[in-house]
Amino acid sequence: MPEHSSNGGWDVVVTPWHLDEYIPAFPIPADATEVGRPILPSGPVSARMNVLHRVTADTVARAAKPLVLSGDCPTSRAAVAALQLRHDGLAVLWLDAHGDFNTPVISTSGYLGGMALAMLTGGTPGLFDDTLGLRPVPETSVVLADARDLDPAERDALAASRVRRIPADPAAITAALGELGPVPVYVHLDIDVIDGTQLPGARFPSGPGPSLAQIEDCLAAARADIVGAYLACAWLPEHAGDEASRQTVTRLAAALGATLTWDEPAGS
């Protein structure tokens, strides 16, 4: 991987997995570095994910300014652990239709994808081993935008936390980041934050929400502070490489200042 790419300063890293499920159709931009496919052990999904996250963290750590494309949200723990090697006091801007603040204790489904933000803030002790060296991000350094679709216990947990909740609005994002002060920012965006009518084939559509154009404006509002970014491209596997899916990811990356190019036409 180059020390620093010419792609607006971004190094694009792709990890085409949803939890421990490899997604063959996941689109890989022409200039991206794909995370290697490790041999995953048998056993619990979390143990298998931990191996994948270790490989992902090693790849992201070699990127000067990583833009990670992934099929899920929990792999963000690998991206944040890698960024913490270079940046102290990292803040997190999390744009998502969901709160991802469930834990094994309060989750009604046990779905690990719904715990991704809690993983970053230290809310899931014992779920993974500590080989990543991830330091819990203080709740006061987390800004959660949108989160319109919450489980009841998750809503209570967020209300009791010190996570800052805001609408997915450029002005609100600018204000929230300004209140954090001059700190390095990691931005995480799950595509389901976008209005469900604009996301055919999404794994977890969440109905009416901000438009793609509004989310582009949100990313543009945060750009100056971002040292790393992550796009959770959570489409159903058969839709991951659709032309509409690629166009959405391309537009979101462009809002961050990165130009994605593709070797083959969508659907080929």
Side-chain angles (χ1 to χ4, degrees):
M1 179 178 293
E3 179 65 21
H4 212 46
S5 77
S6 60
N7 188 0
W10 290 100
D11 297 307
V12 182
V13 175
V14 178
T15 173
W17 298 76
H18 181 81
L19 305 186
D20 64 340
E21 169 198 3
Y22 181 73
I23 307 172
F26 198 94
I28 312 294
D31 59 350
T33 297
E34 182 177 358
V35 171
R37 294 178 60 180
I39 297 175
L40 301 182
S42 58
V45 172
S46 58
R48 292 164 59 81
M49 290 168 62
N50 204 67
V51 173
L52 177 62
H53 293 175
R54 177 68 268 169
V55 175
T56 301
D58 290 344
T59 304
V60 175
R62 296 194 296 271
K65 186 180 179 183
L67 170 57
V68 180
L69 309 183
S70 177
D72 70 11
C73 290
T75 309
S76 59
R77 62 189 290 270
V80 170
L83 286 168
Q84 287 178 333
L85 296 174
R86 188 180 297 131
H87 301 285
D88 293 326
L90 190 70
V92 172
L93 170 61
W94 194 276
L95 297 104
D96 200 317
H98 307 93
D100 288 358
F101 210 64
N102 278 307
T103 69
V105 175
I106 67 173
S107 174
T108 57
S109 66
Y111 174 58
L112 296 178
M115 306 180 193
L117 183 55
M119 292 173 187
L120 295 188
T121 59
T124 59
L127 186 59
F128 299 100
D129 66 31
D130 61 358
T131 57
L132 281 183
L134 175 68
R135 301 189 301 275
V137 177
E139 291 178 349
T140 52
S141 296
V142 177
V143 176
L144 174 60
D146 192 63
R148 62 187 182 271
D149 189 356
L150 299 173
D151 295 332
E154 179 186 33
R155 187 182 302 277
D156 292 343
L158 278 168
S161 78
R162 302 187 69 185
V163 170
R164 187 188 310 258
R165 293 191 57 194
I166 62 171
D169 172 80
I173 286 174
T174 299
L177 294 182
E179 291 174 9
L180 291 178
V183 295
V185 175
Y186 162 80
V187 63
H188 174 105
L189 187 145
D190 188 330
I191 53 97
D192 65 25
V193 72
I194 300 165
D195 190 287
T197 62
Q198 297 187 22
L199 288 175
R203 280 186 188 256
F204 303 107
S206 293
S211 68
L212 173 55
Q214 288 173 303
I215 294 301
E216 289 176 290
D217 290 342
C218 288
L219 294 177
R223 251 172 79 172
D225 301 300
I226 297 173
V227 296
Y230 185 109
L231 301 181
C233 306
W235 279 279
L236 293 166
E238 62 270 25
H239 291 281
D242 287 354
E243 182 178 1
S245 301
R246 288 193 186 193
Q247 289 177 348
T248 297
V249 176
T250 300
R251 285 181 57 176
L252 293 171
L256 291 167
T259 302
L260 302 186
T261 58
W262 311 94
D263 283 333
E264 300 178 2
S268 63

